[in-house]
């Protein structure tokens, strides 16, 4: 699949916003801690990916009822669904000047992930969190995502790489009273 930048300006994929708040002290502190002792930006990106994937439980998997959407809140509360975890990984990567886009898959509902830019190309990564049947890994040599869309079930990958969260996603997260409410209102399209 060809990944398409929403904007040609790469600085948009380094910007902070209300969800990807990489100027927040907790995000900066976490990024600095993760960067200690890494050899290069590729190794940092892998370490940040594994940190978000492995140390921040997906709230559905853990049974956590809280809904987070801002990167700093995800780091503080240690919970989030795919979108929130993608916002967090994007913030940690952008904090270290690694261009990062938000991207989505249309499964039963819209699923959120990120793409990182290395060596002039975008590489999608899925920090959702592993569980039985899900084995996402950081890779620049071919995708190792949590899910593969099934076209026969009307599933697909969105090809556009966004600089900021899509309004359908962000509005849904912000409006959710708790995770059960969120599950009833998850977007089925962008």
């Amino acid at each position: 699949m060809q990944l398409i930048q929403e904007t040609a300006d790469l600085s948009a994929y380094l910007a902070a916003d209300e969800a990807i708040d990489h100027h927040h002290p907790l995000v900066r502190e976490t990024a600095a801690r993760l960067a200690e002792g890494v050899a290069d930006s590729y190794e940092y990106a892998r370490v940040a990916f594994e940190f978000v994937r492995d140390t921040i439980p997906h709230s559905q998997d853990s049974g956590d009822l809280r809904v987070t959407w801002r990167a700093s809140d995800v780091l503080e509360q240690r919970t989030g669904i795919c979108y929130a975890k993608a916002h967090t990984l994007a913030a940690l990567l952008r904090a270290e000047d690694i261009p990062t886009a938000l991207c989505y898959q249309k499964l039963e509902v819209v699923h959120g992930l990120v793409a990182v830019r290395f060596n002039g190309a975008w590489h999608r990564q899925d920090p959702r969190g592993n569980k039985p049947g899900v084995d996402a890994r950081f890779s620049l040599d071919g995708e190792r995502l949590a899910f593969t869309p099934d076209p026969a079930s009307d599933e697909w990958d969105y090809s556009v790489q966004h600089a900021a969260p899509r309004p359908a996603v962000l509005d849904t997260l912000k409006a959710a009273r708790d995770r059960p409410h969120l599950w009833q209102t998850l977007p089925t399209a962008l």
Side-chain angles (χ1 to χ4, degrees), residues 153-172:
S153 297
D154 198 29
E155 297 178 346
W156 65 83
D157 290 302
Y158 287 97
S159 60
V160 176
Q161 308 308 292
H162 300 279
R166 302 308 307 142
V169 168
L170 200 52
D171 293 348
T172 300

Side-chain angles (χ1 to χ4, degrees), residues 2-25:
Q2 180 182 0
L3 301 177
I4 302 165
Q5 287 180 211
E6 177 181 42
T7 177
D9 181 4
L10 274 182
S11 69
Y13 299 97
L14 294 169
D17 61 35
E18 65 177 332
I20 303 170
D21 59 341
H22 64 75
H23 295 304
H24 188 280

Side-chain angles (χ1 to χ4, degrees), residues 18-62:
E18 65 177 332
I20 303 170
D21 59 341
H22 64 75
H23 295 304
H24 188 280
L26 182 55
V27 177
R28 300 297 305 173
E29 173 188 307
T30 304
R33 189 176 70 252
L34 294 173
E36 290 177 4
V38 299
D40 55 28
S41 59
Y42 170 79
E43 185 179 351
Y44 173 81
R46 182 189 52 75
V47 166
F49 169 84
E50 290 174 356
F51 171 80
V52 173
R53 181 193 66 190
D54 298 342
T55 69
I56 299 170
H58 188 286
S59 57
Q60 175 70 17
D61 297 347
S62 68

